[in-house]
Structures are given as structure tokens and as C-alpha cells.
Amino acid sequence: MFSFEIEARDTRSRARTGRLTTAHGVVRTPVFMPVGTHATVKSLTPEDLGTLGAGIILSNAYHLYLRPGHEVIARLGGLHRFMGWDRGILTDSGGFQIYSLSPLRKIDPQGVTFRSHLDGSTHYFTPKHAVEVQESLGADIIMCLDECTPYPADHEYTRRSAQLTLRWAEECRASRSGGTDQALFGIVQGGMYEDLRRESAQALSGLGFEGYAVGGLSVGESKDLMVSMVSTATQELPEDRPRYVMGVGTPLDILRCVELGIDMFDCVLPTRNARNGMLFTSRGRLVIKNAQYQDDPEPPDPGCECYTCRNFSRAYLRHLFLSKEILSYRLNTLHNIHYYLHFMNEMRDAIQSNMFPEFKNGFINRTSEYGGE
């Protein structure tokens, strides 16, 4: 059921549009996947996401393995039925969460031992187990287990880490059960070293995955270094497979990566920032708690057609946020997810029209005038 077809290319960059076909529908790329870590995009219902136009979301095997347990979800009919979502789902294998959340982890050639951030219990993940967990969840796209290389790290450590990720990718590929509609993506590592990124991408390409991710980014490095690593990896990955940069990022990050030929993105920024009172708008970022909005009758973004902007003022949203009302999280999140998905629609249209550089420059000029993206 899984396939990927390139529809259009921008002639002045490496940007492209495509169709990603899964067992739960067709997704237009470049695509942003809202993050639903615990089988929910915080404060939104699946109906909300469908109305907003989301075709695929991200959930996380690490969190669902710990609670409620992948066996529970499998017995209840799989992740789609469990969360009432009939469109695409990608699950992250948990490598980054083990790196970032586990208070104690120990890596060996066969897998990784870690303690749950919930109760301190000890667990052991192997590449085979990571695949088994994700297959039982029933996600449309599943990820290989990888080691997220710390930053900074020296060249020798990073080389050994990337080799381990490659070995685990081979084991993940060999562990797949037959008769599944799921696509398995390999993950490029290599830290912040161009030679290691290139070697990792070349080696993974030879394994014939359905798609490829670039991982280990947005871990403290500069934006320019992040873009350089994406560019290096992308040049070595197959043209006919989808490319996914994990955990990136801001609208400008996304623009710069699309320019390099990236097709898929996820990031917690639109939802997390919404809960912290920061809204993305066509004029730049808007911090709704600021006193200047106390009597402001304007919507957050006058040009936006989301439910929040059509019905509520900045003054009301500021009141909700300062009052710590639950509705604040919901209305802000509705707006930010709409912004991201609309932004991706506009970008796809620009690529289709061979106008991507003009779109990018217009975005930068428009948002910088108002203090940032």
C-alpha cells in the first residue's frame, strides 16, 4: 500500500512536491506532521485535526510502550482505532526519547538498557523489539531504532555511534514480519561531521528502505550547521524515496530544508508554544500575554481563516492565557496547527508554480519586519 511519487520540482532549488500513499490515505508533500506523542495532539480532537487538514500525525513508540503498553493497544485494534484517527500515523522508535528522557541508559552492540522516566523501571530495547512494538501499534510508517548522538561529540565517538545505528538499521530491516502495509524508514546519523553524514546516508541507501530520515539534529547546534548536515545527507539519499528531517522545526527551518529536497517534518513547536502563549502569524511571532494586547480587538492574525481568528480577539486570548483557562491551550493550538498546515499548502503551491525562491524570500522579508518568523 505504501508508495511515493514526485509530482513537481522547483527548477531553482532542490524543492519538490509529491504524493505519499499509505494504507490510511494519500498525503501531499512537503508535509508537516503534528506531534501526538501519547496518541493525542494535546488539546485537539481527531475531528479537529481532520478539519484542519492534517493527513498524517506522529506518535511515539517509547511513550506508548511504557503507557498504556503496545500490547494493550494491539488488543484494542491498533493505534488508529485506539485514538479514533483514520488517517496516517508515523511512529518514532524511541531512540531520541531514550537519549533525552531516560535518567540512566546503557548502550551495547545489541541494544539499549534504560530506565523509564515514569517509574524508574528498567527496560531493554533491541532493534528487533523496536520493530515488534511499532508493528503491533499498526502505524503506517515506522522508524528504525537508532542512537541519537550527543552534541557535541568528537569524531571517533560519532563514527562508532553512526556505525551502531547502521548495524541496528540492518537488524530492523531483517526483523520485519511479512504481509504488512507498513513502511520502514532508516535514520541517517553522523553528528555534525560531513564525512560521517555522507557515509551514513550512502550506507543506508544501499539497504533499500521505503524512506529515509535525517536524525540527530536540533540538539544544540547552530542553524547553519543543521542546514549543512541536512544538505550533505540529502545529496546522498535516493531521489525516489521520501526524506524526513526529524524534530525540525521553525517555519524558516522548514523552508530551508524544503529548499534542499526534504519532504517530511515534525516538531512540537506549534503545540508547545501554543500552550506557552506564543502564536505563529503571517507577520511573525505574537506573544499573547503581552500587555499591549489587553484591549486589542483584532484577531491574532487578521489574514488567518482558522476558527480562533474568525471568532476571538487578542484581548480575549490574553485573558484566557493569564487566567490559565484550558480553552487558552485549545484555541492557541488550533491556530498554530492551522498556521503550519496552511504554510505547507502555500509552499507546495509555490513549488508547483516554480516560484519557491520568491515564496521563501517573501516569507523572510515579511516576518523579519515584525521581529521574526
Side-chain angles (χ1 to χ4, degrees):
M1 291 294 296
F2 184 86
S3 66
F4 178 68
E5 175 188 1
I6 297 173
E7 292 188 320
R9 297 179 186 272
D10 180 76
T11 60
R12 291 170 292 166
S13 71
R14 288 145 59 186
R16 74 248 192 109
T17 63
R19 290 170 58 89
L20 195 69
T21 302
T22 76
H24 290 87
V26 175
V27 178
R28 302 290 302 280
T29 64
V31 63
F32 178 82
M33 299 178 287
V35 175
T37 301
H38 299 278
T40 174
V41 176
K42 288 181 173 60
S43 81
L44 301 186
T45 67
E47 183 179 15
D48 293 330
L49 291 166
T51 300
L52 289 167
I56 184 169
I57 65 171
L58 179 144
S59 199
N60 189 266
Y62 167 89
H63 290 281
L64 298 177
Y65 160 79
L66 292 176
R67 184 173 58 194
H70 60 289
E71 301 98 335
V72 172
I73 294 174
R75 287 196 299 270
L76 292 170
L79 187 54
H80 289 87
R81 180 174 296 179
F82 183 65
M83 64 182 296
W85 175 248
D86 61 1
R87 302 186 187 185
I89 298 176
L90 180 149
T91 48
D92 184 1
S93 68
F96 178 77
Q97 284 68 34
I98 292 170
Y99 156 78
S100 62
L101 294 178
S102 177
L104 175 67
R105 65 172 184 145
K106 181 178 180 182
I107 299 170
D108 63 61
Q110 285 71 49
V112 54
T113 302
F114 64 94
R115 283 187 182 173
S116 165
H117 70 289
L118 298 176
D119 59 12
S121 57
T122 301
H123 303 266
Y124 187 64
F125 251 36
T126 65
K128 180 179 180 180
H129 187 43
V131 170
E132 289 174 348
V133 168
Q134 293 179 88
E135 286 186 339
S136 69
L137 292 173
D140 300 282
I141 300 173
I142 66 177
M143 306 300 299
C144 290
L145 182 66
D146 65 323
E147 182 192 358
C148 184
T149 309
Y151 176 80
D154 63 44
H155 190 276
E156 178 57 23
Y157 179 95
T158 305
R159 182 187 65 80
R160 287 187 275 109
S161 176
Q163 289 179 340
L164 180 63
T165 288
L166 177 61
R167 186 158 61 249
W168 286 358
E170 293 170 340
E171 294 176 19
C172 284
R173 193 173 185 280
S175 299
R176 299 183 68 182
S177 61
T180 176
D181 292 330
Q182 295 172 312
L184 177 64
F185 282 25
I187 303 176
V188 176
Q189 289 290 348
M192 304 304 155
Y193 300 97
E194 287 191 5
D195 60 326
L196 298 180
R197 285 284 177 180
R198 187 173 295 108
E199 291 172 8
S200 176
Q202 290 172 347
L204 280 171
S205 297
L207 297 179
F209 289 103
E210 286 86 359
Y212 296 88
V214 183
L217 298 174
S218 290
V219 290
E221 78 280 8
S222 69
K223 297 291 188 180
D224 287 343
L225 185 54
M226 181 268 289
V227 170
S228 176
M229 294 303 103
V230 171
S231 180
T232 298
T234 304
Q235 292 179 66
E236 305 299 332
L237 293 174
E239 277 281 324
D240 63 345
R241 304 296 168 90
R243 302 157 175 169
Y244 164 32
V245 171
M246 307 179 76
V248 173
T250 68
L252 183 56
D253 290 340
I254 292 173
L255 266 175
R256 297 177 76 182
C257 289
V258 166
E259 189 173 32
L260 299 172
I262 296 297
D263 308 296
M264 303 171 65
F265 301 87
D266 80 276
C267 190
V268 298
L269 272 182
T271 48
R272 179 178 292 169
N273 284 8
R275 298 193 302 277
N276 291 325
M278 199 290 285
L279 304 179
F280 292 91
T281 80
S282 60
R283 300 180 177 184
R285 301 186 184 197
L286 186 153
V287 181
I288 201 65
K289 69 180 179 182
N290 289 351
Q292 70 191 84
Y293 303 121
Q294 180 175 348
D295 300 309
D296 195 333
E298 291 291 315
D301 190 348
C304 178
E305 297 182 355
C306 78
Y307 173 79
T308 302
C309 288
R310 283 187 286 110
N311 291 281
F312 304 103
S313 67
R314 295 171 183 172
Y316 181 62
L317 295 178
R318 179 178 185 271
H319 160 70
L320 292 178
F321 182 79
L322 294 179
S323 301
K324 296 182 171 57
E325 286 289 342
I326 293 173
L327 185 58
S328 172
Y329 305 148
R330 177 168 169 75
L331 293 180
N332 292 350
T333 303
L334 280 169
H335 170 79
N336 277 358
I337 294 295
H338 177 275
Y339 173 89
Y340 264 68
L341 297 181
H342 181 67
F343 174 70
M344 303 306 291
N345 286 337
E346 289 186 317
M347 189 156 35
R348 288 193 296 269
D349 289 344
I351 297 169
Q352 292 275 5
S353 302
N354 201 32
M355 297 288 288
F356 179 79
E358 288 82 0
F359 176 79
K360 178 187 173 186
N361 292 336
F363 172 85
I364 292 172
N365 293 336
R366 184 173 64 251
T367 56
S368 62
E369 180 183 349
Y370 292 91
E373 60 191 61

